[in-house]
Amino acid sequence: MKSGDHAAIDVPESSAVAKGKAPLIGSQREQKSGVNKGLGIADFLLRLGAIAAALAAAATMGTSDETLPFFTQFFQFEASYDDLPTFMFFVIAMALIGGYLVLSLPFSVVTIVRPYAVAPRLLLFISDTLALTLTTAAGGAAAAIVYLAHNGNPNTNWLAICNQFGDFCQNVSGAVVASFVTVVVLIVLILLSGFALKRH
């Protein structure tokens, strides 16, 4: 009887210990889910900012055009983005990046609704890395041309044109700045995706 009594006492104790652990595991899972959902919300908001920056860069560069008020019988002094293939590449690249970021929004929403989904995070991580490469290439190439427009190059007899085409240079410079803002946001997005994948 005494051994039976001891057995009856031991069973409630072990079940009580198990019940005590269950809420702890559940709370940890809920906390992890909340952090992942927060990362998803931050990802979505950053994408909206990157869309605005990328499309602003493309639109600003694409509308950069200035004609000087004086001309000769044979020449009209005009500066336009389509005079330079680098600027045309910039407009196309930033428009593509803006389009990609718009298309990526549904996947970002999935990471909010399903915080533990790995496939959307991994897809965004890879796609954002490719987008970052294209954006950096376009922004860097355009920045080199803008530098020459402002300062010229005496060694190659390239004259600075920004003294004459001030509005044009201001527009293209703003477009380049917007492209590098997009670069920074994409870097943050990649870091967020990497951190979220590490938590899975």
Side-chain angles (χ1 to χ4, degrees), residues 66 68 70 149-152 159-167 169:
E66 183 178 3
L68 297 183
F70 56 87
H150 279 280
N151 301 294
L159 301 177
I161 65 170
C162 288
N163 292 332
Q164 292 78 29
F165 298 96
D167 292 340
C169 287

Side-chain angles (χ1 to χ4, degrees), residues 61 81 83-92 137-145:
M61 182 68 78
Y81 83 97
D83 292 333
L84 296 166
T86 302
F87 285 166
M88 293 181 66
F89 166 68
F90 179 90
V91 172
I92 295 171
I145 301 300

Side-chain angles (χ1 to χ4, degrees), residues 63-72 75-83 161 164-169 171:
T63 55
S64 297
D65 186 10
E66 183 178 3
T67 302
L68 297 183
F70 56 87
F71 55 89
T72 66
F75 295 101
Q76 185 175 19
F77 299 95
E78 180 182 9
S80 178
Y81 83 97
D82 54 4
D83 292 333
I161 65 170
Q164 292 78 29
F165 298 96
D167 292 340
F168 173 79
C169 287
N171 287 340

Side-chain angles (χ1 to χ4, degrees), residues 155-181:
N155 296 327
T156 55
N157 293 323
W158 289 348
L159 301 177
I161 65 170
C162 288
N163 292 332
Q164 292 78 29
F165 298 96
D167 292 340
F168 173 79
C169 287
Q170 185 176 0
N171 287 340
V172 296
S173 298
V176 170
V177 171
S179 72
F180 282 113
V181 171

Side-chain angles (χ1 to χ4, degrees), residues 18-43:
K19 289 179 181 178
K21 290 182 179 178
L24 180 61
I25 296 174
S27 64
Q28 288 178 348
R29 183 174 178 84
E30 290 177 0
Q31 182 179 5
K32 186 176 180 181
S33 175
V35 172
N36 288 344
K37 186 173 291 188
L39 292 174
I41 294 172
D43 181 278

